[in-house]
Amino acid sequence: MRIALITPSFNKAPFLQACLDSVLNQGYGDLEYGVVDNLSTDATPEILERYRDRLAFVLQERDAG
């Protein structure tokens, strides 16, 4: 069974890598995992770039609040 999971983020760089590692290292074979980021101004974009090949998608855009 496929599981789809989205992590929302805005300026959460201190916690983002641990979150991504926690999800991705569980070894679930049929996981569709992505991150939606509200144009963070901290190190979040750099962290997401390092994980981009392991994520189904990374959406970086301003949201409506």
Side-chain angles (χ1 to χ4, degrees):
M1 175 185 353
R2 171 161 273 194
I3 292 178
L5 181 65
I6 298 171
T7 295
S9 178
F10 179 63
N11 289 337
K12 296 296 181 189
F15 312 103
L16 185 59
Q17 184 169 340
C19 177
L20 296 172
D21 285 340
S22 176
V23 172
L24 292 169
N25 291 336
Q26 291 190 33
Y28 191 82
D30 201 4
L31 175 66
E32 183 175 8
Y33 183 38
V35 177
V36 176
D37 177 58
N38 190 17
L39 297 179
S40 293
T41 57
D42 61 359
T44 295
E46 291 83 8
I47 294 168
L48 291 175
E49 189 58 37
R50 289 197 310 263
Y51 283 82
R52 191 171 290 273
D53 64 328
R54 298 179 65 195
L55 298 169
F57 65 89
V58 173
L59 179 60
Q60 293 174 290
E61 65 182 20
R62 183 76 54 208
D63 67 18

